[in-house]
Amino acid sequence: MPVKTAAGLSLLLFLLQSQKLAPYAPTPMDVVDRMLTLAKVAPGDVLIDLGCGDGRIPIRAAQKFNIRAFGVDIDARRIDESKANAKAASVEHLTDFRVADALATDVSGATVVTLFLGSEGNKKLRPILQRQLKRGARVVSHAYSMGPEWPPDTVDRFPSARGDTVTLYLWTIK
């Protein structure tokens, strides 16, 4: 059914935006590398990036560690871009990207989950991660914690290549 009024269009835009856990903001590559190092990614790991954007975290993980890496994003354009980037990096055989809602994604097979979402998105994901991930799985978030109810095991603050201070959070499932 077509939207016929400005109010209807506003409501439609609100509903589409409300499904997003965060706006698209690419993680700088030095931060990507630091996230993978903090998570102690190693051969045999399986990485899932929730809100993968252009796919840079799964692609880098596949390149550096020769692991299976997956990305999900609600934006089909970002998934198309991720697939093209994986092909250009010659890691399409190690990566998979899907249009999906992070809140509805099964992460139970992951040993590492990466996030660059907002505080509210992280809080919504927290019970899913705690319920689905197996003991020893690691969760790394760029810039945002999971709230005081789930304090991180490690907080890593460092100056980025851009000159700003970046904060990463690491949790290990117990």
Side-chain angles (χ1 to χ4, degrees), residues 20-29 32 35 47-61 69-86 95-103 105 107 112-118 125 140 142:
K20 290 186 175 188
L21 296 176
Y24 173 59
T27 301
M29 288 309 295
V32 169
M35 291 174 76
L47 180 139
I48 297 178
D49 186 23
L50 298 174
C52 69
D54 63 7
R56 64 183 58 201
I57 294 174
I59 290 167
R60 186 65 162 183
F70 302 88
V72 299
D73 203 290
I74 200 164
D75 187 336
R77 293 169 300 176
R78 297 281 82 85
I79 294 303
D80 290 343
E81 185 179 5
S82 295
K83 289 177 180 180
N85 291 340
T95 58
D96 188 22
F97 297 96
R98 295 189 182 144
V99 176
D101 182 345
L103 295 172
T105 298
V107 296
V112 177
V113 174
T114 55
L115 311 164
F116 183 21
L117 305 173
L125 279 168
V140 179
H142 172 196

Side-chain angles (χ1 to χ4, degrees), residues 8-174:
L9 180 59
S10 295
L11 177 61
L12 177 62
L13 290 173
F14 170 78
L15 290 172
L16 289 172
Q17 278 301 110
S18 68
Q19 291 182 355
K20 290 186 175 188
L21 296 176
Y24 173 59
T27 301
M29 288 309 295
D30 64 313
V31 178
V32 169
D33 287 335
R34 187 80 171 231
M35 291 174 76
L36 298 175
T37 299
L38 183 62
K40 297 181 179 166
V41 175
D45 276 325
V46 175
L47 180 139
I48 297 178
D49 186 23
L50 298 174
C52 69
D54 63 7
R56 64 183 58 201
I57 294 174
I59 290 167
R60 186 65 162 183
Q63 287 173 318
K64 284 186 76 170
F65 303 103
N66 198 38
I67 65 168
R68 293 287 300 153
F70 302 88
V72 299
D73 203 290
I74 200 164
D75 187 336
R77 293 169 300 176
R78 297 281 82 85
I79 294 303
D80 290 343
E81 185 179 5
S82 295
K83 289 177 180 180
N85 291 340
K87 184 172 183 171
S90 300
V91 294
E92 68 272 19
H93 63 290
L94 292 172
T95 58
D96 188 22
F97 297 96
R98 295 189 182 144
V99 176
D101 182 345
L103 295 172
T105 298
D106 179 2
V107 296
S108 62
T111 57
V112 177
V113 174
T114 55
L115 311 164
F116 183 21
L117 305 173
S119 297
E120 290 307 309
N122 279 4
K123 287 177 186 174
K124 289 177 184 177
L125 279 168
R126 183 178 65 223
I128 296 166
L129 298 169
Q130 290 174 317
R131 183 176 59 252
Q132 290 187 9
L133 292 173
K134 294 174 184 73
R135 183 184 175 117
R138 288 95 62 209
V139 178
V140 179
S141 175
H142 172 196
Y144 298 97
S145 75
M146 295 279 181
E149 302 82 9
W150 193 20
D153 298 312
T154 304
V155 176
D156 180 19
R157 287 187 181 86
F158 64 97
S160 76
R162 294 183 309 196
D164 58 338
T165 299
V166 174
T167 304
L168 301 178
Y169 299 90
L170 171 73
W171 298 265
T172 301
I173 303 299
K174 308 218 181 341

